[in-house]
């Protein structure tokens, strides 16, 4: 008889936070649970009459596979958190447990964790949910590195090792087919509706999901069919979806989904992009750093469009950014955009 291997046990996380940061910690903990991470948090585990030492250090810290430490200026008001940090640091050194610092309010990491790459985020619930997704992906070993494929022009030779032949120049290439040609119009209408939501919050997601989503314009899927349409968008790589026990919690536009829908949702997109470039062209090295919100106001552009354009410029190494509290802070502009304002 063939036996089916049991799925791996979900990672267990100890969530450490200041009392004043409980609201954010609860949102973060619920987001972790929704993404397959068992989360130990004092506000869920400690009951009246419990031994605090046993609960925190034996059941919590000693039983965890990883630690998430929410750090903010409020730490100064809870001196016992330093003891928890000491215990987590010892476990990290002895057993290699991952320790993820989550920094709020532009707080610096505690000195013992200054060498660890932190996750900086804002306090809102959508930002907490986004942070939870990033932490869960890290704990499950998921990253966005593209797979390495074998190119068609790579051939072996009779000698030792492969030889790479330079592909011949393309001649009379036929144009590539349009992206996502198989999606019906009602599915694309749903994609545009999701982009409208994203434009309202200035982020690709997470976006709350409801079968009763506003229909807006176009021909959206009928009630009861929207979940299937969302699954089709997910299969096409246009959205990512977070589910818990079969229920959709929220979804997020992928960069591909954003680029597919934005021309039809922002009809003056080229003019918006030109205004952003023109504003960047006026940014001099001696000027103070420029926030994405200020840039959006100055260019009369939707914040999400500005953020996506800045990310593209970062990829091209045309601008440099910092990311305080979930936003974007422009710290430098390459001379190229200033030389080509249009």
């Amino acid at each position: 008889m063939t036996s089916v291997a049991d799925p791996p046990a979900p990672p267990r996380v100890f969530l450490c936070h200041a009392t004043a940061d409980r609201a954010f910690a609860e949102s973060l903990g619920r987001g972790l649970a929704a993404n397959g991470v068992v989360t130990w948090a004092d506000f869920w585990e400690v009951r009246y009459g419990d031994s605090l030492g046993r609960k925190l250090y034996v059941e919590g810290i000693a039983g965890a596979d990883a630690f998430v430490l929410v750090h903010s200026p409020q730490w100064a008001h809870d001196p016992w958190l330093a003891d928890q940090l000491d215990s987590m640091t010892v476990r990290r050194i002895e057993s290699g447990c991952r320790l993820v610092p989550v920094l709020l309010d532009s707080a610096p990491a505690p000195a013992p964790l200054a060498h660890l790459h932190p996750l900086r985020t804002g306090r809102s619930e959508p930002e907490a949910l986004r942070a939870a997704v990033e932490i869960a992906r890290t704990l499950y070993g998921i990253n966005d590195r593209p797979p390495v494929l074998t190119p068609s022009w790579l051939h072996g030779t009779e000698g030792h090792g492969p030889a790479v032949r330079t592909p011949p120049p393309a001649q009379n290439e036929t144009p590539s087919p349009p992206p996502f040609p198989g999606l019906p119009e009602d599915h694309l209408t749903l994609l545009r509706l999701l982009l409208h939501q994203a434009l309202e919050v200035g982020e690709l997601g997470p976006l709350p999901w409801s079968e009763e989503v506003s229909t807006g314009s176009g021909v959206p899927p009928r009630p009861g069919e929207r979940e299937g349409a969302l699954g089709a968008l997910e299969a096409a790589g246009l959205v990512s979806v977070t589910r818990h026990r079969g229920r959709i919690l929220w979804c997020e536009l992928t960069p591909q989904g954003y680029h597919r829908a934005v021309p039809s949702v922002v009809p003056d997109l080229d003019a918006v992009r030109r205004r952003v470039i023109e504003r960047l062209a006026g940014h001099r090295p001696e000027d103070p750093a420029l926030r994405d919100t200020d840039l959006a106001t100055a260019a009369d552009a939707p914040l999400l469009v500005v953020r996506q354009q800045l990310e593209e410029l970062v990829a091209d190494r045309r601008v440099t950014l910092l990311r305080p509290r979930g936003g974007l802070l422009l710290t430098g502009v390459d001379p190229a955009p200033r030389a080509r304002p249009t």
Side-chain angles (χ1 to χ4, degrees):
M1 178 181 296
T2 302
S3 60
V4 179
D6 293 331
R12 298 177 58 87
V13 158
F14 177 83
L15 179 58
C16 180
H17 66 96
T19 302
D21 297 328
R22 172 170 174 169
F24 172 84
E26 280 201 51
S27 296
L28 182 66
R30 293 184 188 280
L32 289 170
N35 283 275
V37 177
V38 179
T39 304
W40 195 104
D42 57 357
F43 44 79
W44 290 331
E45 304 295 338
V46 178
R47 298 289 181 263
Y48 296 114
D50 285 345
S51 167
L52 293 178
R54 177 174 180 80
K55 279 287 184 179
L56 287 170
Y57 297 99
V58 177
E59 296 182 14
I61 294 176
D65 304 311
F67 308 108
V68 173
L69 183 144
V70 178
H71 185 68
S72 77
Q74 304 300 327
W75 261 62
H77 304 295
D78 293 349
W80 59 85
L81 294 175
D83 290 337
Q84 296 181 32
L85 175 56
D86 289 345
S87 297
M88 289 187 289
T89 302
V90 169
R91 277 222 57 208
R92 176 180 173 274
I93 294 173
E94 291 181 345
S95 59
C97 291
R98 183 179 292 274
L99 200 164
V100 180
V102 178
L103 307 183
L104 301 176
D105 304 334
S106 301
L113 308 182
H115 63 294
L116 299 180
H117 182 49
L119 193 161
R120 298 183 183 274
T121 184
R123 289 180 174 272
S124 70
E125 183 172 6
E127 289 169 311
L129 297 179
R130 179 187 293 275
V133 171
E134 292 300 323
I135 294 170
R137 287 170 59 86
T138 296
L139 297 180
Y140 277 98
I142 299 172
N143 60 49
D144 296 321
R145 184 189 304 114
V148 178
L149 305 178
T150 302
S152 60
W153 42 266
L154 185 63
H155 303 277
T157 63
E158 296 180 357
H160 298 286
V164 177
R165 297 178 181 175
T166 303
Q171 295 181 354
N172 299 325
E173 288 186 346
T174 57
S176 58
F180 320 115
L183 291 175
E185 180 59 27
D186 58 346
H187 291 187
L188 295 179
T189 298
L190 178 60
L191 180 65
R192 290 191 285 268
L193 292 174
L194 294 175
L195 179 56
H196 277 293
Q197 294 183 33
L199 289 169
E200 290 179 1
V201 299
E203 299 281 355
L204 295 178
L207 306 172
W209 170 256
S210 171
E211 277 287 331
E212 303 303 321
V213 64
S214 173
T215 57
S217 60
V219 186
R222 293 186 296 271
E225 298 179 356
R226 295 193 179 106
E227 185 171 338
L230 186 68
L233 296 178
E234 182 182 25
L238 302 178
V239 300
S240 61
V241 182
T242 298
R243 299 175 175 84
H244 179 56
R245 294 182 178 178
R247 184 171 67 90
I248 297 174
L249 297 181
W250 60 81
C251 56
E252 181 170 354
L253 288 171
T254 65
Q256 295 90 337
Y258 165 83
H259 287 294
R260 177 65 178 83
V262 71
S264 58
V265 174
V266 183
D268 59 342
L269 183 61
D270 290 338
V272 169
R273 288 171 171 166
R274 283 197 299 270
R275 291 198 298 271
V276 172
I277 292 295
E278 288 170 358
R279 180 61 183 87
L280 292 176
H283 186 82
R284 299 170 299 177
E286 62 270 19
D287 289 341
L290 180 65
R291 289 190 176 274
D292 54 356
T293 50
D294 298 331
L295 179 58
T297 300
D300 190 23
L303 180 58
L304 178 59
V305 174
V306 169
R307 286 176 169 172
Q308 290 301 305
Q309 188 169 1
L310 288 177
E311 294 291 359
E312 294 169 11
L313 292 172
V314 168
D316 290 339
R317 299 184 179 181
R318 299 293 179 85
V319 301
T320 54
L321 297 174
L322 295 177
R323 291 173 169 80
R325 300 188 63 181
L328 298 177
L329 188 66
L330 182 70
T331 57
V333 179
D334 186 84
R338 291 199 293 271
R340 298 184 297 105
T342 60

